[in-house]
Structure formats: structure tokens, C-alpha cells
Amino acid sequence: MPCPYPRRPAVSTDHSEQIQQIEDLAARGIDVVRIIYPDLMGADRGRDILLHHLPNATGHGLAFCRAIYHTDALGEHSDIPGGLDAGMPDITVRPDLSTLVPLPWEPGVAWCIGDARDPATGLPAPESPRDLLRRVTAALTAEGLVPVVGPELEYVLLDPDPGSPTGWRRYADAPGNVYTVGRKGDPDGHLLRTLRHLHGLGIGATGGNREYDSGQFEINLDHSEALDAADRAFRFKVAVKELARAEGRLATFMAKPLNDGGGSGFHLHISLVDTDGRNVFDAPEQPSGLSVAARHAVAGLLAHAPALAALFNPTVNSYKRFGPDTTAPWLIDWGLDHRGAMVRIPPERGGGSRLEMRLGDATANPYLAIAGLVAAVGLGIRSAAEPPTSTGGYGYDPANAPKLPTSLGEALDALEADVELTEVLGRPFVDAFLIFKRDELARFERHVTDWEFRQYAQLI
């Protein structure tokens, strides 16, 4: 499986070349550069700067409070070492100019991803998801194996509805338009507008359709090396939400946003390419056409699945998507072209040989999910582990395979207990992630939900 979107070369920091870059951008009508970076949730944080300030941002970086990594969607802070306890020090974010691209829907603005550094040491910020993925990928690349990843993401589009409890209702709420295109399932043409903008952004969008639920869409992204795939998935989520806002709508990547609907997945296809560009998962002479390395990779994903759930299913809401007959995985298993399995082996062979990890939901931070994926694959190959027999037929019988974690707390405990995986991911990152997510879970467990009020207030 070749990489159609290889990393672009780094842009020179030579002053004269930077001046030329600025002049080139200005000639294209660009006067603002939007620099964004992912937080622990995978949400975008950033700053708009005027074009003339770009050399300073590249040289000295932009200052942000490090505690932003410890801040949730409602602005609540978690007490993570290096944040509140240290006086809320800065990180510096420098634009990675190799990711610079004009925004198709916002004339005059160019968009790029930034890298977060500790200003005292110049080293990556411990919580930086992008640098975590760099480090995990480098360990496998040093062994002569390059991970290639293809992301698949689903989302639900909502229209404003002041009369509903949430303030939103499902867009185009008509049943039965599963895997359709055109106006019957998308009367306002949201999908085509979004696809055209994403094509202009150059993130490898290949196509899309309405998904299983009303108002639910899937847009496919092409495959590339792991960091580039994560960058593109990150930008995809940010772009879809921005474009929906321009329509006066909300695009949500929640795992299960509505009680009367299904969930939104984040499936990741992975293959490994050797130094000669050969797909090492392909082996026509082996059973099912899968190499020994592919079997070891499957075994690694199965062995570390409980811990991976914390990265692939990182919210309280994530575990409301799981269950029998949901097409979301429920068991720790694998299968040949089996959509009920956690690890599916698509039917393509040759250069297209790959594994599909179906565990994730769309709330997952792309950098953390892909880092966990690459780490578990590497652990399986290094240990030469063999997977159990593949699943077949009905894929939701717990007598056939162990169950995945059924709650965020259970998944966080599994991550903490998985010594092998946490060593690859790095203890500083894992400790920060566990504190952040357990704090979120504790706040949820103290919160009185509307379900509880309806269930108990009048009867008891």
C-alpha cells in the first residue's frame, strides 16, 4: 500500500528564504496565518497571526499556557503536575511550515499545525499528542518498518432546535437513506459542499456518503504515513466542524450523540512498509494471504485492546456506543472481512493488505489513537505473539472472546496496568492522560443527569 501523501519537506529557516515565503503568500492574497495544535482531547487550540509576524513565530514561537493541555471542553482544569502546581507556565508553539495551506473557505488565511515545546529545554511538551506519535513511530521506523494508516471518520450533523432539551435536532431526519448520496438524504447539499472544500484543503479526502443514521455522514481519507494520517484526520475534524458552523449547524463527533440513534466510529486501517516499499503484511503463500508479521500485529492489538480502549474510546459517552448487534466491536477478537470483529482483515491482498482496527469512536484524538495502534502493532511483532483462531459467523457471543472494557473507568485502569504499552507511550504522557480523564470521570459521576430526575423525582 504506497503512501500517496508523503510528508512534505521541512521549510528552510533561512531568513532570506522566509522573506521569500512571506512575499509568495502575500502575492496569493494571504495576510493571516492560523496556527493550531491538538490538545489532549484532540481539539484544536491556536492563534491567528498577521503574516508579517510569521518569522518571529517561527523563530521564537507563540506562548500558550501549558495548562491548556489540562483543560476540558467547559474550561475546567485538572491538577496535573507542571500546570497549576507550577504556576501555570508557558509552552511555545512554533508553526510547522511544511503543513501550511490556504483555507479554501476563508480567503486570505493560510492554515498550519504547530509543535509545542518547553521553552526552558526546547524539548517537546510532555503532553504533546503530535510528538508522542512521532516518538512511537520512530521506534518502529528504526526497525525498518514504516506504518501506513488510512483513517475513516463518521459524524452527525445537527440543526438548531431551541425547543429540544439539547437545543439541537438531527439534520435531514428521514429514515432509510443508508449509504445514499444526493438530496434525498442530504436536502441542503451539505456533503458536496464539504467534500469540495476538503479537496481544496488537500487532506486526501476521496469521497463520502450518508451513513446509517439520519444526519450521519462518513467522508473517507486516503492512506499515508502515520504522522501525516493523524495530521489529516485532525484537520478533517476541525474543518468539518468549522464548515458546519458556517451553515449554522453543529457537526458532532460524539460517540453516541442521541439516544434514538447509533454511534459514530473512527476506524483505522494500518499496514507496514519495509525499506524497499514492500507491504510486509502480504504473503500469498501463507494461509489467508497474511504474513507472519501480520499475524503478530493482530496478536499485539488483541493483547493490548483493554488499554487501547482508553485512547480509542476516551469519553464517558464512548461506552454507550458498544453492545451486541451495534456493528461496533464488543469483544476482543479478529476476523477475515468480518465487520463484527474488533480487528477486521479487509479482503484486498498484495499492496492493499492491511488490518482494520474498528475499536475507535469519533471522539478519539487521532494522534493518540494512531500512537496506540502503532505501539500495539510493534509490541506484537517484537514478541512474535500468535493470535487465537479468527472469529466467524455471529460476532457478539461473549462465550467466544473476552469483552472489551464497558466503561471509561475500566479502560483507564487497563491502560495504567498495561506496563508494556505504557513504556512505549511514555510514563509522563500516560500519567497526565490518566489524571485528566479520571478527573473528567469524577465530575461526571457527581453530575445529576436529566435521566435521573425523570426516573426518580416524582415516583420516589
Side-chain angles (χ1 to χ4, degrees):
M1 192 158 63
C3 306
Y5 290 89
R7 300 292 300 164
R8 281 172 284 182
V11 177
S12 171
T13 56
D14 179 81
H15 181 70
S16 61
E17 291 193 20
Q18 283 196 2
I19 295 298
Q20 184 61 52
Q21 291 161 13
I22 290 173
E23 290 176 352
D24 291 344
L25 289 169
R28 299 168 68 183
I30 301 295
D31 64 347
V32 170
V33 178
R34 177 165 299 164
I35 301 164
I36 63 169
Y37 61 98
D39 66 9
L40 281 177
M41 297 179 292
D44 59 310
R45 310 286 182 168
R47 185 172 300 159
D48 285 345
I49 64 169
L50 293 170
L51 180 60
H52 68 79
H53 188 64
L54 184 59
N56 189 63
T58 303
H60 300 288
L62 305 174
F64 290 87
C65 179
R66 181 180 167 189
I68 196 64
Y69 281 125
H70 319 151
T71 303
D72 72 6
L74 298 179
E76 297 281 348
H77 292 280
S78 298
D79 190 13
I80 296 176
L84 294 172
D85 67 317
M88 302 178 74
D90 275 350
I91 56 171
T92 55
V93 175
R94 290 182 174 84
D96 177 353
L97 296 182
S98 71
T99 67
L100 191 69
V101 61
L103 272 181
W105 59 88
E106 199 157 350
V109 179
W111 201 23
C112 74
I113 299 173
D115 285 316
R117 296 290 180 264
D118 181 331
T121 66
L123 297 174
E127 302 91 344
S128 169
R130 199 168 187 241
D131 286 292
L132 170 66
L133 178 56
R134 276 195 179 105
R135 182 164 46 78
V136 171
T137 301
L140 201 56
T141 303
E143 299 170 20
L145 297 172
V146 177
V148 176
V149 176
E152 290 182 2
L153 277 154
E154 298 168 343
Y155 63 94
V156 173
L157 191 65
L158 303 172
D159 276 326
D161 183 3
S164 75
T166 62
W168 300 93
R169 68 174 185 274
R170 188 183 279 108
Y171 163 72
D173 194 5
N177 292 317
V178 182
Y179 295 158
T180 61
V181 290
R183 297 301 171 119
K184 60 182 177 180
D186 180 15
D188 191 42
H190 160 83
L191 180 62
L192 284 184
R193 279 196 304 275
T194 303
L195 277 174
R196 286 172 175 141
H197 281 312
L198 293 176
H199 176 70
L201 191 60
I203 60 170
T206 60
N209 54 265
R210 216 212 71 173
E211 252 293 336
Y212 190 82
D213 284 332
S214 299
Q216 186 181 49
F217 296 90
E218 178 178 87
I219 293 177
N220 301 120
L221 301 178
D222 214 330
H223 54 274
S224 65
E225 293 180 14
L227 179 61
D228 187 67
D231 281 345
R232 293 186 295 110
F234 169 56
R235 288 180 127 162
F236 168 81
K237 293 177 73 172
V238 176
V240 166
K241 294 182 77 67
E242 283 288 288
L243 293 168
R245 288 186 183 102
E247 297 176 359
R249 298 186 169 105
L250 172 66
T252 179
F253 290 87
M254 276 183 70
K256 186 177 172 67
L258 302 166
N259 279 316
D260 61 346
S264 290
F266 180 21
H267 301 162
L268 290 169
H269 296 248
I270 183 169
S271 62
L272 296 178
V273 176
D274 65 17
T275 54
D276 295 323
R278 186 183 67 86
N279 186 330
V280 302
F281 286 170
D282 181 45
E285 73 285 357
Q286 294 288 333
S288 303
L290 294 176
S291 69
V292 172
R295 296 200 307 272
H296 294 338
V298 170
L301 293 174
L302 300 182
H304 299 283
L308 291 174
L311 303 178
F312 278 77
N313 313 112
T315 70
V316 171
N317 178 258
S318 294
Y319 297 84
K320 298 176 181 178
R321 168 178 166 263
F322 290 143
D325 306 322
T326 59
T327 70
W330 191 47
L331 305 176
I332 301 172
D333 58 1
W334 71 288
L336 299 170
D337 199 13
H338 197 305
R339 282 183 168 80
M342 187 191 78
V343 179
R344 170 179 172 257
I345 312 299
E348 292 86 356
R349 294 294 181 266
S353 298
R354 63 192 187 277
L355 317 179
E356 180 188 6
M357 182 62 153
R358 296 176 60 81
L359 175 61
D361 67 67
T363 55
N365 181 330
Y367 297 96
L368 303 188
I370 295 175
L373 178 73
V374 172
V377 163
L379 286 168
I381 290 173
R382 293 181 197 109
S383 67
E386 284 290 336
T389 303
S390 63
T391 190
Y394 181 68
Y396 296 95
D397 186 350
N400 296 333
K403 287 171 61 175
L404 285 159
T406 58
S407 69
L408 178 59
E410 189 181 336
L412 294 173
D413 290 345
L415 176 60
E416 184 173 32
D418 192 329
V419 175
E420 285 188 321
L421 186 67
T422 58
E423 284 182 354
V424 177
L425 297 177
R427 198 73 238 183
F429 163 77
V430 172
D431 288 345
F433 182 81
L434 289 172
I435 292 171
F436 181 66
K437 299 309 293 186
R438 282 176 171 151
D439 189 38
E440 177 184 318
L441 180 58
R443 290 198 303 275
F444 171 76
E445 290 174 342
R446 293 192 300 267
H447 183 75
V448 179
T449 66
D450 58 348
W451 182 91
E452 291 168 276
F453 188 87
R454 291 197 308 270
Q455 189 78 5
Y456 305 124
Q458 297 189 48
L459 178 63
I460 299 174

